[in-house]
Amino acid sequence: MNRSQANLLLLAVAVIWGSAFVAQAVGMAGVGPLTFTGMRFLLGSAIVLPLAWREWRRLSLRDARPRASDALGVSTLGVLLMLGAGLQQIGIASTTVTNAGFLTALYVPLVPLLAWLILRTRPHWSVWPTSLGCLAGTWLLSGAQEIDLMVGDLWVIASSIFWALHVLFVGRVAERIAAPFLVACGQFLVCGVISLLAAGLGETITLAGIRQAGLPIVYAGVFSVAIGFTAQVVGQRYSPPADAAIILSAETVFAALFGFLLMGDRLSASGMAGCTLILGCIIVVQIAPLTRAGPQFRLDERSRQDDARGT
């Protein structure tokens, strides 16, 4: 796979993830948010399981099976995934697909900010203005008439924190284990089980409701969870990090597009300005560090990725 093919694959991932917001919204008609989250991630786990089993056998032959600490790391990723996906799903029940898509994208500038706070990794200067720009865009997206956001918007904003933490640590866990499908399957399984346990405590689960939400659950589980996340791993093996980040952030644009085409969502002038501002900040925070470093930065970053993969 060459670079252009990888970028096209990542663009397909962005389309899948953007369209999944519609499936998540439609699926809420039959089941609760945690039930939907649990079922789609368990389905995704089942689909990835054969690939994970193949990696487990390969690691066993090399006597390099994951240790207990690795299992703890994967379980932590599953908890973060559950909190991110669960809070997002709760929010989608009382906000629009367009709002949910753009507000979820707040995790992009949050990742370097949390890296500075937690890992003491100093972020690029562009993080600060783009973070403020995203906050301003969020206010415009909410209507720009009052400071109070919709309740659903607040849930989605909260989910972006856990998405950011997940992005922050998933690379470290995957690099240590060197088995991406095993990590993916494990975290999907933990997320799905915890979500269904929580749903059993606070939601009513009926067979009729599951049948009603069956198609959205299948779409989100097969395409968004299994295919989307797996294709992201494959594409980013051949695409430079800056390319991948910008292309994947386009899921917010596709969320708005599918919300317009399938859900009848509409944006006011201020909402469109907010979407533009948020997307612009997402792009700037990814490409600004490359403006002075030039090609050497890309070469060093690619070499670091190759070293992490052991190639």
Side-chain angles (χ1 to χ4, degrees), residues 29-44:
V31 297
L34 294 177
T35 302
F36 185 92
T37 300
M39 297 193 70
R40 75 169 176 133
F41 274 96
L42 285 181
L43 177 58

Side-chain angles (χ1 to χ4, degrees), residues 37-49 188 214 217-222 225-226:
T37 300
M39 297 193 70
R40 75 169 176 133
F41 274 96
L42 285 181
L43 177 58
S45 177
I47 295 172
V48 179
L49 181 59
F188 294 164
I217 289 173
V218 170
Y219 185 89
V222 174
V225 176

Side-chain angles (χ1 to χ4, degrees), residues 13-15 17-19 21 97-108 141 246-259 267 275-276 278-280 282-283:
V13 173
V15 174
W17 286 351
S19 65
F21 281 101
V97 169
T98 300
N99 281 27
F102 275 96
L103 292 175
T104 299
L106 289 173
Y107 79 89
V108 178
L141 186 58
I246 293 172
I247 293 171
L248 290 176
S249 69
E251 70 169 300
T252 59
V253 177
F254 290 113
L257 176 62
F258 282 104
L267 284 176
C275 291
T276 303
I278 293 174
L279 186 56
I282 291 171
I283 294 174

Side-chain angles (χ1 to χ4, degrees), residues 1-3 6 9-10 55 180-181 230-240 244 302 305-306 309-311:
M1 182 179 294
N2 59 39
R3 175 175 169 177
L9 181 61
L10 291 175
E55 285 186 334
F181 296 117
T230 303
Q232 178 197 13
V233 174
V234 175
Q236 288 198 239
R237 287 173 58 94
Y238 305 98
S239 180
R302 188 58 181 268
Q305 282 193 321
D306 291 341
R309 293 195 300 265
T311 60

Side-chain angles (χ1 to χ4, degrees), residues 16 76 139 230 278:
I16 292 171
T76 301
W139 182 64
T230 303
I278 293 174

Side-chain angles (χ1 to χ4, degrees), residues 4-287:
S4 298
Q5 292 170 331
N7 287 344
L8 286 175
L9 181 61
L10 291 175
L11 184 61
V13 173
V15 174
I16 292 171
W17 286 351
S19 65
F21 281 101
V22 175
Q24 290 174 249
V26 174
M28 296 292 289
V31 297
L34 294 177
T35 302
F36 185 92
T37 300
M39 297 193 70
R40 75 169 176 133
F41 274 96
L42 285 181
L43 177 58
S45 177
I47 295 172
V48 179
L49 181 59
L51 296 173
W53 175 247
R54 181 181 177 182
E55 285 186 334
W56 176 267
R57 293 182 61 186
R58 176 175 57 83
L59 292 176
S60 298
L61 292 175
R62 294 166 45 193
D63 196 23
R65 284 176 294 183
R67 298 167 296 181
S69 60
D70 297 326
L72 178 60
V74 173
S75 298
T76 301
L77 292 178
V79 172
L80 292 175
L81 195 59
M82 179 268 171
L83 291 172
L87 292 176
Q88 180 193 71
Q89 191 66 38
I90 293 172
I92 287 176
S94 54
T95 189
T96 64
V97 169
T98 300
N99 281 27
F102 275 96
L103 292 175
T104 299
L106 289 173
Y107 79 89
V108 178
L110 277 177
V111 169
L113 179 61
L114 291 175
W116 176 66
L117 293 174
I118 298 174
L119 304 178
R120 298 303 180 186
T121 301
R122 185 176 181 181
H124 190 268
W125 64 264
S126 60
V127 165
W128 311 118
T130 52
S131 296
L132 293 175
C134 283
L135 291 177
T138 301
W139 182 64
L140 291 172
L141 186 58
S142 69
Q145 297 179 357
E146 55 184 11
I147 296 178
D148 291 337
L149 298 171
M150 295 171 59
V151 174
D153 293 334
L154 295 177
W155 282 110
V156 177
I157 291 173
S159 76
S160 69
I161 299 174
F162 295 102
W163 286 126
L165 289 170
H166 180 267
V167 171
L168 189 62
F169 292 112
V170 68
R172 293 193 166 202
V173 175
E175 180 178 348
R176 185 169 64 247
I177 299 178
F181 296 117
L182 190 60
V183 172
C185 184
Q187 66 174 351
F188 294 164
L189 180 62
V190 171
C191 174
V193 169
I194 296 177
S195 296
L196 284 184
L197 289 176
L201 297 176
E203 297 178 359
T204 301
I205 305 176
T206 64
L207 186 58
I210 293 175
R211 281 199 297 262
Q212 183 179 356
L215 185 59
I217 289 173
V218 170
Y219 185 89
V222 174
F223 291 93
S224 177
V225 176
I227 298 178
F229 280 97
T230 303
Q232 178 197 13
V233 174
V234 175
Q236 288 198 239
R237 287 173 58 94
Y238 305 98
S239 180
D243 290 19
I246 293 172
I247 293 171
L248 290 176
S249 69
E251 70 169 300
T252 59
V253 177
F254 290 113
L257 176 62
F258 282 104
F260 170 76
L261 294 176
L262 303 178
M263 303 290 292
D265 289 350
R266 295 294 185 272
L267 284 176
S268 63
S270 63
M272 293 180 65
C275 291
T276 303
L277 182 56
I278 293 174
L279 186 56
C281 290
I282 291 171
I283 294 174
V284 168
V285 81
Q286 297 297 332
I287 66 175

